[in-house]
Structure formats: structure tokens, C-alpha cells
Amino acid sequence: MSAAGVVKAITPPNIRARKGSTPLVCLTAYTTPVARLVDGHCDIVLVGDSVGMVLHGLPSTLSVTLDMMIMHAKAVRRGMERALLVVDMPFGSYEESLEQAFRNSARLMAETGCAAVKLEGGATIAETIRFLTARGIPVMAHVGLTPQAVNVFGGYRVQGRGEDAERIWRDALAVSEAGAFSVVLEKVPEPLARRITEKIPIPTIGIGASAACDGQILVVDDMLGLFGDFRPKFVKRYVELGEAASAAIEAYACDVKERRFPAAEHVFGDEPKAIKGREAT
Ligand code: KIV
């Protein structure tokens, strides 16, 4: 909070400076109400392309478009004051050329007010990260399991076990050297996450990558129990909102069928009546 009482938003350099100190708290959000819930508790709010699977029922993130990301990012921006807003670049929006990556990232920032973008990929995307950061676009990188490459991996398996650890290590080093201000490590074994976190100068944000990381991120719908029966090992469910919502909807259906809802207090009469705490209705 500034002297004038204005909340100062967290910036990419603030995140970068948190390396090795208090763990960074990060969650996804795709809507204004959820953004309002998470903003005060998080350092980073990510509009992830997971929105395609979580809210749109798509089978993977591959068909998420830039327009979808812009629409959700605008909604999230309206609910935020404090956390750093980062938005995922969707599959196909940055891989073709440096110019394409810049054009689409700049559009995302200009239209949504986000302060940074996230790109998936390691060494192969390092040149793009260097190009964007040199032109005013802060980049959060994402290595390990990169869901946009699900067809190359043949599934959503843990990455970097055994000899494969070297590949992920080189990816993390490459994005760090290219100028990313932080890097998501997804689904990698704890010893590798620890090694990367100890050796690179930017914060690592883990998802399925252990508490050795400099911060943690989860898909908010997963930790609230809102995304069906999806229960991967790395997610802790803090509440079962899906079950609570299902019970509430069942109770409503029963009430409607039994004519218990609407009850007298939900019904308008001929005369306006003042109800405590509300205007006359
Ligand atoms: O799309 C997403 O939500 C993500 C996070 C899970 C890191 O990339």
C-alpha cells in the first residue's frame, strides 16, 4: 500500500527479487469473482491455458485460442489490485517466429493489462524469451511437463527422471539465461527441482515439483475440489466445493418439485414491504 492508500501491484522484478526468500504463493484464476478471492493471498495470479480443460471442457490445452485467453484475462484483471497478473500464451501463438511471439504477446498485454506472459518450453524457446524481454515483455517460463507438448510426451507423465534430468536442467538454465523472471517447474522429481532451484538465479515455481521450489502454483479449481474427479498426486484438496455444490443443487431440485421453494420470504406481494437490511421490494 502506498502513502496515498493506493494498493501497489507486485511487479516482475519484485518476484525476481524474492529468490530464496519467503515462498511465492501462486494460483490460477479465469473469472472476476475468483480473481477477487485469490488476489489478496497470492503473489502471482496466472490465467492459465488450463482454462480450456477446466472451464470449457476441452480434452487438452491445444485448441485454446488467443481470443479465449484475452477474454478470461480481461475478466481476471477486473478482480485484481495487488498480485502480479501473468497470462499464458496458448499453443500456436508464439512458436512460429520471434515476430509472431512479439505481436501476440504485445496484444495480450495491451488488451488485458497483464504485466507478463508465460511461455512453455526450455532451450528451444530461449531465443524467443530473449527477444521478448529485450522488447519490454516480461516472461515467465515453464519447463518439465509442458502440457502443450502432450502429444510429443505421449501423456502427462513426470519428466526428468534418470538420464532425462539433464534435459530439464539445461532447459531451466537456458530460460534463466535468456531473461525469464521466473520459471514454472511442472511434474519433475524432487532432487531435480532442488538442484535447479539451488543453481539458477530466478525463482522456481513448482507444480508437482516439491517444496524445494521457491514457490508453488496450483489450478485453483483443483485445490477447491471443483474439477470433478481429477485427483493427481501433486494436488491437495483444501475443500470439496464440488460435493457441496452438488448437494445444494440436489436440495434445490427437491424443493422445487415439492413446492417448498420459493417460500413466502421469496415472493412479492401487492404492497412494497421493507425487509431488514434491504430496500423495499
Ligand atoms: O495452464 C495452467 O494453469 C498452468 C499452471 C498449472 C502452471 O500452466
mmCIF file of all heavy atoms in Angstrom, residues 16 19 121-123 125-127 129-130 133 139-143 168-185 196-204 214:
data_model
loop_
_atom_site.group_PDB
_atom_site.id
_atom_site.type_symbol
_atom_site.label_atom_id
_atom_site.label_comp_id
_atom_site.label_asym_id
_atom_site.label_seq_id
_atom_site.Cartn_x
_atom_site.Cartn_y
_atom_site.Cartn_z
ATOM 1 N N ARG A 16 11.205 -11.568 -9.038
ATOM 2 C CA ARG A 16 12.602 -11.980 -9.266
ATOM 3 C C ARG A 16 13.417 -11.801 -7.984
ATOM 4 O O ARG A 16 14.241 -12.651 -7.626
ATOM 5 C CB ARG A 16 13.161 -11.106 -10.404
ATOM 6 C CG ARG A 16 14.602 -11.186 -10.720
ATOM 7 C CD ARG A 16 14.909 -12.424 -11.549
ATOM 8 N NE ARG A 16 16.311 -12.490 -11.942
ATOM 9 C CZ ARG A 16 17.319 -12.686 -11.112
ATOM 10 N NH1 ARG A 16 17.110 -12.819 -9.828
ATOM 11 N NH2 ARG A 16 18.557 -12.747 -11.575
ATOM 12 N N LYS A 19 13.752 -14.499 -4.895
ATOM 13 C CA LYS A 19 14.525 -15.740 -4.987
ATOM 14 C C LYS A 19 15.105 -16.106 -3.626
ATOM 15 O O LYS A 19 15.768 -15.300 -2.979
ATOM 16 C CB LYS A 19 15.673 -15.540 -6.001
ATOM 17 C CG LYS A 19 16.635 -16.712 -6.102
ATOM 18 C CD LYS A 19 15.998 -17.887 -6.812
ATOM 19 C CE LYS A 19 16.869 -19.134 -6.764
ATOM 20 N NZ LYS A 19 16.196 -20.298 -7.379
ATOM 21 N N GLY A 121 8.205 -24.315 -22.684
ATOM 22 C CA GLY A 121 9.373 -24.752 -23.457
ATOM 23 C C GLY A 121 10.665 -24.277 -22.830
ATOM 24 O O GLY A 121 10.675 -23.250 -22.136
ATOM 25 N N GLY A 122 11.752 -25.001 -23.088
ATOM 26 C CA GLY A 122 13.037 -24.683 -22.486
ATOM 27 C C GLY A 122 14.012 -24.101 -23.478
ATOM 28 O O GLY A 122 13.786 -23.011 -24.038
ATOM 29 N N ALA A 123 15.085 -24.866 -23.770
ATOM 30 C CA ALA A 123 16.165 -24.373 -24.634
ATOM 31 C C ALA A 123 15.634 -23.913 -25.989
ATOM 32 O O ALA A 123 16.085 -22.896 -26.525
ATOM 33 C CB ALA A 123 17.212 -25.464 -24.815
ATOM 34 N N ILE A 125 12.953 -22.468 -26.760
ATOM 35 C CA ILE A 125 12.168 -21.228 -26.739
ATOM 36 C C ILE A 125 13.000 -20.074 -26.142
ATOM 37 O O ILE A 125 12.532 -18.931 -26.046
ATOM 38 C CB ILE A 125 10.832 -21.476 -25.974
ATOM 39 C CG1 ILE A 125 9.702 -20.664 -26.560
ATOM 40 C CG2 ILE A 125 10.941 -21.283 -24.492
ATOM 41 C CD1 ILE A 125 9.235 -21.170 -27.881
ATOM 42 N N ALA A 126 14.253 -20.377 -25.770
ATOM 43 C CA ALA A 126 15.094 -19.383 -25.082
ATOM 44 C C ALA A 126 15.297 -18.126 -25.939
ATOM 45 O O ALA A 126 15.250 -16.998 -25.429
ATOM 46 C CB ALA A 126 16.436 -20.005 -24.708
ATOM 47 N N GLU A 127 15.496 -18.323 -27.236
ATOM 48 C CA GLU A 127 15.720 -17.166 -28.113
ATOM 49 C C GLU A 127 14.478 -16.250 -28.113
ATOM 50 O O GLU A 127 14.593 -15.017 -28.124
ATOM 51 C CB GLU A 127 16.011 -17.668 -29.534
ATOM 52 C CG GLU A 127 16.621 -16.620 -30.431
ATOM 53 C CD GLU A 127 16.664 -17.053 -31.897
ATOM 54 O OE1 GLU A 127 16.421 -18.245 -32.191
ATOM 55 O OE2 GLU A 127 16.913 -16.172 -32.744
ATOM 56 N N ILE A 129 12.356 -15.926 -25.641
ATOM 57 C CA ILE A 129 12.317 -15.238 -24.337
ATOM 58 C C ILE A 129 13.263 -14.032 -24.359
ATOM 59 O O ILE A 129 12.907 -12.937 -23.906
ATOM 60 C CB ILE A 129 12.679 -16.229 -23.199
ATOM 61 C CG1 ILE A 129 11.603 -17.325 -23.103
ATOM 62 C CG2 ILE A 129 12.854 -15.503 -21.865
ATOM 63 C CD1 ILE A 129 11.890 -18.416 -22.097
ATOM 64 N N ARG A 130 14.442 -14.241 -24.938
ATOM 65 C CA ARG A 130 15.421 -13.140 -25.012
ATOM 66 C C ARG A 130 14.849 -11.985 -25.849
ATOM 67 O O ARG A 130 14.931 -10.817 -25.471
ATOM 68 C CB ARG A 130 16.728 -13.659 -25.625
ATOM 69 C CG ARG A 130 17.873 -12.694 -25.511
ATOM 70 C CD ARG A 130 19.225 -13.314 -25.847
ATOM 71 N NE ARG A 130 19.749 -14.175 -24.800
ATOM 72 C CZ ARG A 130 19.885 -15.498 -24.885
ATOM 73 N NH1 ARG A 130 19.538 -16.122 -25.963
ATOM 74 N NH2 ARG A 130 20.377 -16.193 -23.878
ATOM 75 N N THR A 133 11.860 -10.210 -23.830
ATOM 76 C CA THR A 133 12.258 -9.425 -22.654
ATOM 77 C C THR A 133 13.029 -8.172 -23.077
ATOM 78 O O THR A 133 12.868 -7.108 -22.486
ATOM 79 C CB THR A 133 13.100 -10.258 -21.658
ATOM 80 O OG1 THR A 133 14.151 -10.885 -22.367
ATOM 81 C CG2 THR A 133 12.294 -11.317 -20.977
ATOM 82 N N VAL A 139 8.770 -12.287 -19.165
ATOM 83 C CA VAL A 139 8.359 -13.667 -19.465
ATOM 84 C C VAL A 139 8.586 -14.577 -18.259
ATOM 85 O O VAL A 139 9.673 -14.604 -17.673
ATOM 86 C CB VAL A 139 9.146 -14.233 -20.676
ATOM 87 C CG1 VAL A 139 8.766 -15.694 -20.932
ATOM 88 C CG2 VAL A 139 8.889 -13.395 -21.924
ATOM 89 N N MET A 140 7.528 -15.323 -17.947
ATOM 90 C CA MET A 140 7.644 -16.446 -17.011
ATOM 91 C C MET A 140 7.781 -17.687 -17.892
ATOM 92 O O MET A 140 6.999 -17.858 -18.834
ATOM 93 C CB MET A 140 6.380 -16.516 -16.147
ATOM 94 C CG MET A 140 6.314 -17.725 -15.249
ATOM 95 S SD MET A 140 4.703 -17.764 -14.402
ATOM 96 C CE MET A 140 5.227 -17.381 -12.768
ATOM 97 N N ALA A 141 8.783 -18.517 -17.614
ATOM 98 C CA ALA A 141 8.988 -19.712 -18.433
ATOM 99 C C ALA A 141 8.294 -20.909 -17.781
ATOM 100 O O ALA A 141 7.791 -20.810 -16.650
ATOM 101 C CB ALA A 141 10.485 -19.961 -18.592
ATOM 102 N N HIS A 142 8.256 -22.026 -18.483
ATOM 103 C CA HIS A 142 7.551 -23.224 -17.992
ATOM 104 C C HIS A 142 8.266 -24.442 -18.579
ATOM 105 O O HIS A 142 8.245 -24.627 -19.796
ATOM 106 C CB HIS A 142 6.091 -23.144 -18.453
ATOM 107 C CG HIS A 142 5.208 -24.241 -17.951
ATOM 108 N ND1 HIS A 142 3.834 -24.099 -17.845
ATOM 109 C CD2 HIS A 142 5.464 -25.515 -17.545
ATOM 110 C CE1 HIS A 142 3.298 -25.210 -17.387
ATOM 111 N NE2 HIS A 142 4.273 -26.099 -17.212
ATOM 112 N N VAL A 143 8.936 -25.223 -17.720
ATOM 113 C CA VAL A 143 9.679 -26.408 -18.197
ATOM 114 C C VAL A 143 9.253 -27.639 -17.397
ATOM 115 O O VAL A 143 8.513 -27.549 -16.434
ATOM 116 C CB VAL A 143 11.213 -26.188 -18.108
ATOM 117 C CG1 VAL A 143 11.646 -24.920 -18.831
ATOM 118 C CG2 VAL A 143 11.691 -26.145 -16.659
ATOM 119 N N ILE A 168 16.040 -31.439 -18.620
ATOM 120 C CA ILE A 168 15.234 -30.433 -17.908
ATOM 121 C C ILE A 168 16.156 -29.385 -17.267
ATOM 122 O O ILE A 168 15.848 -28.196 -17.246
ATOM 123 C CB ILE A 168 14.340 -31.111 -16.829
ATOM 124 C CG1 ILE A 168 13.523 -32.265 -17.443
ATOM 125 C CG2 ILE A 168 13.429 -30.076 -16.153
ATOM 126 C CD1 ILE A 168 12.492 -31.869 -18.454
ATOM 127 N N TRP A 169 17.291 -29.865 -16.742
ATOM 128 C CA TRP A 169 18.254 -28.933 -16.145
ATOM 129 C C TRP A 169 18.719 -27.913 -17.192
ATOM 130 O O TRP A 169 18.743 -26.708 -16.962
ATOM 131 C CB TRP A 169 19.424 -29.713 -15.539
ATOM 132 C CG TRP A 169 20.685 -28.916 -15.447
ATOM 133 C CD1 TRP A 169 21.840 -29.122 -16.137
ATOM 134 C CD2 TRP A 169 20.905 -27.749 -14.644
ATOM 135 N NE1 TRP A 169 22.756 -28.151 -15.824
ATOM 136 C CE2 TRP A 169 22.218 -27.295 -14.909
ATOM 137 C CE3 TRP A 169 20.114 -27.029 -13.747
ATOM 138 C CZ2 TRP A 169 22.756 -26.172 -14.311
ATOM 139 C CZ3 TRP A 169 20.653 -25.894 -13.134
ATOM 140 C CH2 TRP A 169 21.961 -25.478 -13.414
ATOM 141 N N ARG A 170 19.041 -28.398 -18.402
ATOM 142 C CA ARG A 170 19.512 -27.494 -19.472
ATOM 143 C C ARG A 170 18.398 -26.520 -19.874
ATOM 144 O O ARG A 170 18.643 -25.343 -20.148
ATOM 145 C CB ARG A 170 19.978 -28.303 -20.693
ATOM 146 C CG ARG A 170 21.382 -28.863 -20.540
ATOM 147 C CD ARG A 170 21.973 -29.287 -21.886
ATOM 148 N NE ARG A 170 21.120 -30.232 -22.587
ATOM 149 C CZ ARG A 170 21.165 -31.560 -22.441
ATOM 150 N NH1 ARG A 170 22.033 -32.096 -21.616
ATOM 151 N NH2 ARG A 170 20.346 -32.341 -23.114
ATOM 152 N N ASP A 171 17.148 -27.021 -19.877
ATOM 153 C CA ASP A 171 16.009 -26.145 -20.203
ATOM 154 C C ASP A 171 15.877 -25.009 -19.185
ATOM 155 O O ASP A 171 15.716 -23.839 -19.553
ATOM 156 C CB ASP A 171 14.698 -26.954 -20.221
ATOM 157 C CG ASP A 171 14.507 -27.734 -21.516
ATOM 158 O OD1 ASP A 171 15.211 -27.427 -22.497
ATOM 159 O OD2 ASP A 171 13.659 -28.637 -21.540
ATOM 160 N N ALA A 172 15.961 -25.379 -17.908
ATOM 161 C CA ALA A 172 15.798 -24.372 -16.847
ATOM 162 C C ALA A 172 16.922 -23.330 -16.921
ATOM 163 O O ALA A 172 16.686 -22.116 -16.795
ATOM 164 C CB ALA A 172 15.775 -25.061 -15.484
ATOM 165 N N LEU A 173 18.136 -23.814 -17.149
ATOM 166 C CA LEU A 173 19.280 -22.899 -17.252
ATOM 167 C C LEU A 173 19.109 -21.975 -18.463
ATOM 168 O O LEU A 173 19.334 -20.755 -18.376
ATOM 169 C CB LEU A 173 20.573 -23.731 -17.388
ATOM 170 C CG LEU A 173 21.865 -22.951 -17.304
ATOM 171 C CD1 LEU A 173 22.004 -22.269 -15.948
ATOM 172 C CD2 LEU A 173 23.059 -23.887 -17.541
ATOM 173 N N ALA A 174 18.666 -22.541 -19.575
ATOM 174 C CA ALA A 174 18.534 -21.753 -20.814
ATOM 175 C C ALA A 174 17.498 -20.631 -20.647
ATOM 176 O O ALA A 174 17.746 -19.492 -21.054
ATOM 177 C CB ALA A 174 18.140 -22.672 -21.972
ATOM 178 N N VAL A 175 16.342 -20.941 -20.040
ATOM 179 C CA VAL A 175 15.321 -19.881 -19.919
ATOM 180 C C VAL A 175 15.755 -18.822 -18.918
ATOM 181 O O VAL A 175 15.458 -17.635 -19.078
ATOM 182 C CB VAL A 175 13.914 -20.457 -19.568
ATOM 183 C CG1 VAL A 175 13.415 -21.364 -20.673
ATOM 184 C CG2 VAL A 175 13.875 -21.144 -18.212
ATOM 185 N N SER A 176 16.501 -19.258 -17.901
ATOM 186 C CA SER A 176 17.005 -18.301 -16.910
ATOM 187 C C SER A 176 18.021 -17.363 -17.570
ATOM 188 O O SER A 176 17.958 -16.132 -17.422
ATOM 189 C CB SER A 176 17.613 -19.092 -15.753
ATOM 190 O OG SER A 176 18.433 -18.294 -14.994
ATOM 191 N N GLU A 177 18.937 -17.944 -18.335
ATOM 192 C CA GLU A 177 19.959 -17.119 -19.009
ATOM 193 C C GLU A 177 19.340 -16.211 -20.075
ATOM 194 O O GLU A 177 19.867 -15.157 -20.392
ATOM 195 C CB GLU A 177 21.033 -18.017 -19.626
ATOM 196 C CG GLU A 177 21.934 -18.618 -18.556
ATOM 197 C CD GLU A 177 22.962 -19.609 -19.100
ATOM 198 O OE1 GLU A 177 22.882 -19.988 -20.287
ATOM 199 O OE2 GLU A 177 23.834 -20.003 -18.315
ATOM 200 N N ALA A 178 18.192 -16.625 -20.604
ATOM 201 C CA ALA A 178 17.537 -15.832 -21.655
ATOM 202 C C ALA A 178 16.780 -14.633 -21.085
ATOM 203 O O ALA A 178 16.302 -13.786 -21.839
ATOM 204 C CB ALA A 178 16.593 -16.720 -22.465
ATOM 205 N N GLY A 179 16.606 -14.588 -19.754
ATOM 206 C CA GLY A 179 15.994 -13.403 -19.162
ATOM 207 C C GLY A 179 14.614 -13.596 -18.556
ATOM 208 O O GLY A 179 13.973 -12.619 -18.143
ATOM 209 N N ALA A 180 14.125 -14.857 -18.477
ATOM 210 C CA ALA A 180 12.832 -15.081 -17.800
ATOM 211 C C ALA A 180 12.960 -14.600 -16.352
ATOM 212 O O ALA A 180 14.026 -14.746 -15.742
ATOM 213 C CB ALA A 180 12.473 -16.562 -17.852
ATOM 214 N N PHE A 181 11.868 -14.039 -15.795
ATOM 215 C CA PHE A 181 11.960 -13.551 -14.405
ATOM 216 C C PHE A 181 11.598 -14.632 -13.399
ATOM 217 O O PHE A 181 11.801 -14.479 -12.194
ATOM 218 C CB PHE A 181 11.104 -12.282 -14.198
ATOM 219 C CG PHE A 181 9.614 -12.525 -14.258
ATOM 220 C CD1 PHE A 181 8.894 -12.847 -13.117
ATOM 221 C CD2 PHE A 181 8.944 -12.440 -15.462
ATOM 222 C CE1 PHE A 181 7.530 -13.079 -13.174
ATOM 223 C CE2 PHE A 181 7.579 -12.666 -15.538
ATOM 224 C CZ PHE A 181 6.872 -12.990 -14.390
ATOM 225 N N SER A 182 11.048 -15.745 -13.883
ATOM 226 C CA SER A 182 10.744 -16.898 -13.028
ATOM 227 C C SER A 182 10.429 -18.062 -13.954
ATOM 228 O O SER A 182 10.235 -17.868 -15.164
ATOM 229 C CB SER A 182 9.553 -16.611 -12.101
ATOM 230 O OG SER A 182 8.396 -16.360 -12.868
ATOM 231 N N VAL A 183 10.398 -19.273 -13.377
ATOM 232 C CA VAL A 183 10.130 -20.441 -14.219
ATOM 233 C C VAL A 183 9.250 -21.437 -13.460
ATOM 234 O O VAL A 183 9.512 -21.745 -12.297
ATOM 235 C CB VAL A 183 11.450 -21.101 -14.706
ATOM 236 C CG1 VAL A 183 12.379 -21.488 -13.573
ATOM 237 C CG2 VAL A 183 11.156 -22.329 -15.578
ATOM 238 N N VAL A 184 8.201 -21.888 -14.132
ATOM 239 C CA VAL A 184 7.361 -22.952 -13.568
ATOM 240 C C VAL A 184 8.059 -24.286 -13.840
ATOM 241 O O VAL A 184 8.488 -24.554 -14.972
ATOM 242 C CB VAL A 184 5.952 -22.944 -14.218
ATOM 243 C CG1 VAL A 184 5.174 -24.201 -13.844
ATOM 244 C CG2 VAL A 184 5.186 -21.692 -13.820
ATOM 245 N N LEU A 185 8.182 -25.117 -12.797
ATOM 246 C CA LEU A 185 8.692 -26.488 -12.947
ATOM 247 C C LEU A 185 7.511 -27.414 -12.736
ATOM 248 O O LEU A 185 6.979 -27.492 -11.624
ATOM 249 C CB LEU A 185 9.742 -26.823 -11.878
ATOM 250 C CG LEU A 185 11.043 -26.041 -11.819
ATOM 251 C CD1 LEU A 185 11.955 -26.636 -10.741
ATOM 252 C CD2 LEU A 185 11.734 -26.065 -13.164
ATOM 253 N N ILE A 196 17.832 -27.588 -9.541
ATOM 254 C CA ILE A 196 17.555 -26.412 -10.386
ATOM 255 C C ILE A 196 17.382 -25.176 -9.510
ATOM 256 O O ILE A 196 17.963 -24.111 -9.772
ATOM 257 C CB ILE A 196 16.298 -26.659 -11.260
ATOM 258 C CG1 ILE A 196 16.578 -27.764 -12.297
ATOM 259 C CG2 ILE A 196 15.853 -25.370 -11.945
ATOM 260 C CD1 ILE A 196 15.344 -28.215 -13.081
ATOM 261 N N THR A 197 16.589 -25.324 -8.453
ATOM 262 C CA THR A 197 16.295 -24.173 -7.576
ATOM 263 C C THR A 197 17.581 -23.629 -6.944
ATOM 264 O O THR A 197 17.766 -22.414 -6.836
ATOM 265 C CB THR A 197 15.276 -24.588 -6.493
ATOM 266 O OG1 THR A 197 14.114 -25.075 -7.157
ATOM 267 C CG2 THR A 197 14.894 -23.421 -5.595
ATOM 268 N N GLU A 198 18.473 -24.540 -6.555
ATOM 269 C CA GLU A 198 19.722 -24.081 -5.922
ATOM 270 C C GLU A 198 20.658 -23.396 -6.916
ATOM 271 O O GLU A 198 21.414 -22.504 -6.552
ATOM 272 C CB GLU A 198 20.439 -25.276 -5.279
ATOM 273 C CG GLU A 198 19.820 -25.657 -3.953
ATOM 274 C CD GLU A 198 20.362 -26.973 -3.391
ATOM 275 O OE1 GLU A 198 21.273 -27.576 -3.994
ATOM 276 O OE2 GLU A 198 19.837 -27.383 -2.344
ATOM 277 N N LYS A 199 20.569 -23.821 -8.186
ATOM 278 C CA LYS A 199 21.596 -23.348 -9.141
ATOM 279 C C LYS A 199 21.192 -22.176 -10.016
ATOM 280 O O LYS A 199 22.056 -21.458 -10.521
ATOM 281 C CB LYS A 199 22.020 -24.516 -10.027
ATOM 282 C CG LYS A 199 22.669 -25.644 -9.230
ATOM 283 C CD LYS A 199 23.937 -26.101 -9.896
ATOM 284 C CE LYS A 199 24.808 -26.846 -8.906
ATOM 285 N NZ LYS A 199 24.906 -28.246 -9.160
ATOM 286 N N ILE A 200 19.892 -21.984 -10.290
ATOM 287 C CA ILE A 200 19.559 -20.868 -11.189
ATOM 288 C C ILE A 200 19.173 -19.636 -10.361
ATOM 289 O O ILE A 200 18.662 -19.764 -9.244
ATOM 290 C CB ILE A 200 18.452 -21.222 -12.233
ATOM 291 C CG1 ILE A 200 17.104 -21.498 -11.573
ATOM 292 C CG2 ILE A 200 18.890 -22.370 -13.120
ATOM 293 C CD1 ILE A 200 15.961 -21.635 -12.573
ATOM 294 N N PRO A 201 19.404 -18.433 -10.901
ATOM 295 C CA PRO A 201 19.200 -17.213 -10.096
ATOM 296 C C PRO A 201 17.765 -16.691 -10.073
ATOM 297 O O PRO A 201 17.498 -15.685 -9.426
ATOM 298 C CB PRO A 201 20.129 -16.203 -10.776
ATOM 299 C CG PRO A 201 20.211 -16.656 -12.194
ATOM 300 C CD PRO A 201 20.072 -18.149 -12.189
ATOM 301 N N ILE A 202 16.835 -17.351 -10.798
ATOM 302 C CA ILE A 202 15.444 -16.862 -10.806
ATOM 303 C C ILE A 202 14.571 -17.827 -9.998
ATOM 304 O O ILE A 202 14.900 -19.009 -9.868
ATOM 305 C CB ILE A 202 14.886 -16.712 -12.251
ATOM 306 C CG1 ILE A 202 14.934 -18.048 -13.004
ATOM 307 C CG2 ILE A 202 15.631 -15.622 -13.001
ATOM 308 C CD1 ILE A 202 14.216 -18.012 -14.358
ATOM 309 N N PRO A 203 13.445 -17.323 -9.448
ATOM 310 C CA PRO A 203 12.575 -18.194 -8.648
ATOM 311 C C PRO A 203 11.968 -19.322 -9.472
ATOM 312 O O PRO A 203 11.538 -19.113 -10.607
ATOM 313 C CB PRO A 203 11.477 -17.247 -8.145
ATOM 314 C CG PRO A 203 12.009 -15.879 -8.312
ATOM 315 C CD PRO A 203 12.962 -15.920 -9.460
ATOM 316 N N THR A 204 11.960 -20.515 -8.876
ATOM 317 C CA THR A 204 11.268 -21.652 -9.477
ATOM 318 C C THR A 204 9.893 -21.768 -8.803
ATOM 319 O O THR A 204 9.783 -21.646 -7.577
ATOM 320 C CB THR A 204 12.046 -22.954 -9.251
ATOM 321 O OG1 THR A 204 12.243 -23.140 -7.841
ATOM 322 C CG2 THR A 204 13.397 -22.914 -9.955
ATOM 323 N N ASP A 214 11.036 -22.352 -5.097
ATOM 324 C CA ASP A 214 10.914 -21.026 -4.468
ATOM 325 C C ASP A 214 9.456 -20.597 -4.283
ATOM 326 O O ASP A 214 9.176 -19.569 -3.662
ATOM 327 C CB ASP A 214 11.619 -19.969 -5.324
ATOM 328 C CG ASP A 214 13.126 -20.191 -5.387
ATOM 329 O OD1 ASP A 214 13.756 -20.189 -4.315
ATOM 330 O OD2 ASP A 214 13.651 -20.374 -6.495
#
